Amino acid sequence: MEDCIFCKIVRGEIPSRKVYEDDDILAFHDIRPIAPVHFLIIPKIHIPTLGDAAPGHQLALGKIMTMAGPLARQQGADQGFRAIINSGKVGLQEVYHVHMHIIGGPEPLPPMLVRRRTDRVE
Ligand code: AMP
Ligand code: ZN
């Protein structure tokens, strides 16, 4: 938690372009956006991955889900968006503090995952 980059953003020790903040969650623009709208919503408490979520985290994680739509619309994604939570090694998570990516338009996004030959059931 000391060294966690997103905890440092919560504490104001490193800067972010803030989208929204309340007692439980913080939203800020992704530093390397992949679409015109790309921001992250995080719980203020340190939860490493979505796989570590527990009942005591329901308020913060619920807020993240219910603020996604209003914040996406506020940022200009009024025709829809994609919400992604990468989790753990298989999910290719880079920053180990739970965060939901909100990614959007105006153009439709590419397919989420490319189906591989090995995914086929023969
Ligand atoms: P993930 O692979 O889901 O862990 O993605 C981590 C995301 O955090 C990436 O999209 C990064 O661009 C973003 N990121 C890393 N450091 C910062 C930062 N200081 N401010 C904003 N976004 C960041
Ligand atoms: Zn953290």
Side-chain angles (χ1 to χ4, degrees):
M1 285 175 238
E2 280 290 296
D3 296 332
C4 170
I5 187 166
F6 287 175
C7 282
K8 286 184 178 174
I9 287 177
V10 169
R11 293 195 297 262
E13 291 169 12
I14 59 172
S16 68
R17 288 176 53 223
K18 203 178 292 180
V19 168
Y20 173 80
E21 178 171 21
D22 66 24
D23 287 347
D24 304 297
I25 68 172
L26 176 68
F28 52 95
H29 292 281
D30 195 291
I31 207 166
R32 288 183 287 129
I34 62 168
V37 174
H38 186 178
F39 61 93
L40 307 173
I41 318 178
I42 71 170
K44 285 192 167 176
I45 54 164
H46 182 84
I47 307 168
T49 81
L50 186 61
D52 300 305
H57 304 138
Q58 280 180 10
L59 176 62
L61 296 180
K63 272 191 180 178
I64 288 172
M65 294 296 281
T66 54
M67 286 306 292
L71 294 178
R73 287 189 285 278
Q74 182 206 88
Q75 292 300 312
D78 54 359
Q79 298 297 311
F81 57 90
R82 184 170 293 152
I84 298 174
I85 302 178
N86 297 317
S87 187
K89 193 174 90 175
V90 170
L92 293 185
Q93 185 175 355
E94 289 173 26
V95 177
Y96 275 69
H97 178 131
V98 170
H99 50 282
M100 180 183 274
H101 295 255
I102 303 296
I103 299 164
E107 300 300 321
L109 298 166
M112 186 171 64
L113 292 174
V114 178
R115 196 172 286 282
R116 294 172 297 192
R117 270 178 64 84
T118 50
D119 292 337
R120 270 199 225 130
V121 179
E122 302 296 342

